């Protein structure tokens, strides 16, 4: 039978580059490391580590075994953390990541639902790259994430991705803008306008805007940058520029701005919840169900607003 100590030794050798360094990192003696490695190699009937005067390196077979060893050890670490939470706090703690707009609208009712079932929730707020790093590092059990045209969520088979909501990107302009009279606005009509963008030029919405404008042979010029969507609406209302904003971030638009769909292929971000497959399947399942219910409520609310707007325009 394989033992966890044998897998731990293999990982330490791969990381440290020698049996002596692996022994030091594990606080073992070198004979102990040699013993566990020998038992592991005897189990597979193959050499897993090539020793040499300059240290040790995994053979092809050892390298093939390493990711499986790491996955087993990581799964054990997560199980220990979850059981310790239950033992010390009387409840499992879900570590959940979110980006700001989803954290404000989608997540609170879902957290309330799972806390009612005796689950504690630890929130981590950040932009998408940080959330993905937290998931990959297994620091988060689940995270609200999104993808857009040209983006790809690089998550492995240890995660389940549950679609929640299609969040359209909408044009926001002053109420007296020349294009405000249009129901849908061609982007090329805005080539001479200043744009209000995100503080980080690499922001996903800015990248989608650049991609969409490139289809019409121009690059948007950003006059101001901010990550606060209330500030964006304020500057738009003052006539300093136009903006492309996710609908989820708009809330109730100011009365002195016009919100319009762009023409052409729909610009939208697909919001999902990524869930790490762990022993906390019941808790994460409750969170996913609650998020799906809340996303459905938001979509129904949007449909009602759109229907009312259509009635007023007729």
């Amino acid at each position: 039978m394989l033992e966890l100590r044998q897998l731990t030794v293999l990982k330490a050798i791969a990381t440290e580059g020698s049996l002596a360094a692996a022994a030091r990192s594990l606080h073992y003696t070198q004979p102990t490391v040699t013993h566990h490695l020998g038992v592991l190699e005897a189990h597979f009937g193959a050499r897993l580590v090539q020793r040499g005067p300059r240290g040790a390196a995994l053979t092809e077979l050892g390298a093939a075994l390493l990711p499986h060893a790491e996955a087993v050890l990581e799964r054990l670490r997560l199980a220990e953390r979850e059981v310790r939470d239950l033992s010390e706090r009387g409840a499992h703690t879900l570590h959940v990541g979110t980006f700001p707009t989803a954290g404000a609208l989608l997540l609170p009712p879902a957290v309330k639902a799972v806390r009612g079932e005796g689950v504690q929730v630890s929130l981590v707020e950040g932009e998408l790259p940080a959330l993905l790093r937290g998931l990959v590092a297994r620091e988060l059990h689940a995270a609200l994430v999104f993808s857009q045209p040209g983006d790809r969520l690089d998550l492995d088979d240890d995660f389940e991705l549950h679609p929640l909501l299609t969040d359209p990107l909408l044009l926001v302009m002053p109420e007296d803008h020349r294009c405000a009279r249009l129901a849908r606005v061609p982007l090329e009509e805005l080539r001479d306008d200043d744009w209000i963008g995100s503080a980080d030029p690499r922001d996903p919405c800015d990248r989608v805007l650049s991609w969409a404008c490139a289809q019409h042979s121009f690059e948007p010029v950003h006059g101001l940058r901010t990550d606060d969507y209330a500030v964006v609406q304020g500057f738009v209302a003052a006539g300093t520029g136009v903006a492309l904003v996710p609908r989820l971030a708009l809330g109730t638009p100011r009365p002195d701005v016009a919100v319009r769909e762009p023409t052409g292929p729909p610009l939208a971000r697909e919001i999902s919840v990524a869930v790490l497959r762990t022993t906390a399947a019941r808790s994460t399942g409750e969170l996913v169900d609650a998020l799906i219910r809340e996303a459905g409520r938001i979509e129904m609310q949007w449909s009602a607003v759109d229907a009312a707007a259509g009635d007023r325009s007729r």
Side-chain angles (χ1 to χ4, degrees):
M1 290 288 292
L2 290 177
E3 294 184 6
L4 292 174
R5 285 175 296 183
Q6 298 158 8
L7 301 180
T8 301
V9 162
L10 182 73
K11 180 181 177 182
I13 294 171
T15 301
E16 302 296 336
S18 74
L19 273 64
R24 288 193 297 271
S25 71
L26 296 173
H27 304 290
Y28 289 173
T29 65
Q30 186 167 339
T32 299
V33 167
T34 301
H35 166 74
H36 287 307
L37 177 59
V39 173
L40 187 63
E41 290 182 327
H43 177 84
F44 285 101
R47 184 172 292 278
L48 303 175
V49 173
Q50 184 66 48
R51 295 106 166 143
R54 295 186 178 179
L58 299 189
T59 64
E60 182 178 358
L61 294 176
L65 177 59
L66 180 62
H68 300 287
E70 291 174 329
V72 169
L73 294 170
E74 178 61 21
R75 187 62 178 265
L76 178 62
R77 185 185 70 82
L78 293 172
E80 287 177 335
R81 184 173 71 177
E82 291 169 8
V83 173
R84 191 174 296 115
D85 285 343
L86 286 168
S87 174
E88 294 176 355
R89 302 175 185 152
H92 173 63
T93 299
L94 279 180
H95 299 271
V96 180
T98 182
F99 57 95
T101 49
L105 293 177
L106 267 174
L107 197 55
V111 168
K112 181 180 179 181
V114 297
R115 289 183 68 181
E117 298 296 324
V119 177
Q120 299 298 317
V121 176
S122 171
L123 286 181
V124 175
E125 186 179 20
E127 297 301 331
L128 182 62
L131 298 178
L132 293 176
R133 288 194 297 270
L135 287 167
V136 172
R138 309 309 194 252
E139 295 167 354
L140 299 174
H141 292 109
L144 288 165
V145 297
F146 62 88
S147 59
Q148 297 180 146
D151 289 345
R152 179 181 167 210
L153 291 174
D154 195 14
L155 294 172
D156 60 34
D157 291 340
D158 286 345
F159 297 90
E160 295 175 345
L161 200 62
H162 300 270
L164 297 175
L165 186 69
T166 297
D167 187 17
L169 305 179
L170 302 175
L171 294 168
V172 183
M173 60 192 67
E175 61 177 344
D176 59 354
H177 192 280
R178 65 188 183 282
C179 293
R181 59 184 174 77
L182 302 175
R184 301 181 73 218
V185 177
L187 279 175
E188 58 265 32
E189 291 294 324
L190 304 175
R191 67 171 61 241
D192 295 325
D193 286 77
D194 284 341
W195 290 81
I196 301 170
S198 300
D200 185 348
R202 297 167 298 178
D203 179 83
C205 286
D206 281 9
R207 287 192 284 110
V208 169
L209 175 63
S210 292
W211 172 84
C213 292
Q215 312 308 305
H216 302 285
S217 303
F218 77 97
E219 176 67 24
V221 176
H222 290 88
L224 294 167
R225 291 189 175 276
T226 175
D227 285 333
D228 188 319
Y229 286 114
V231 173
V232 169
Q233 289 197 53
F235 277 110
V236 169
T240 61
V242 298
L244 186 70
V245 176
R247 185 167 189 173
L248 199 62
L250 274 174
T252 301
R254 293 174 51 132
D256 47 1
V257 302
V259 179
R260 300 290 183 264
E261 293 182 22
T263 60
L267 302 180
R269 59 182 186 177
E270 299 298 328
I271 298 176
S272 305
V273 56
V275 177
L276 177 63
R277 303 176 195 267
T278 71
T279 54
R282 177 173 173 271
S283 300
T284 52
E286 290 166 352
L287 178 70
V288 169
D289 290 344
L291 285 168
I292 290 173
R293 289 194 299 271
E294 185 59 19
R297 187 194 67 78
I298 289 173
E299 286 189 320
M300 289 179 61
Q301 187 179 59
W302 285 351
S303 296
V305 169
D306 292 344
D311 291 341
R312 288 195 298 270
S313 66
R314 284 197 288 271

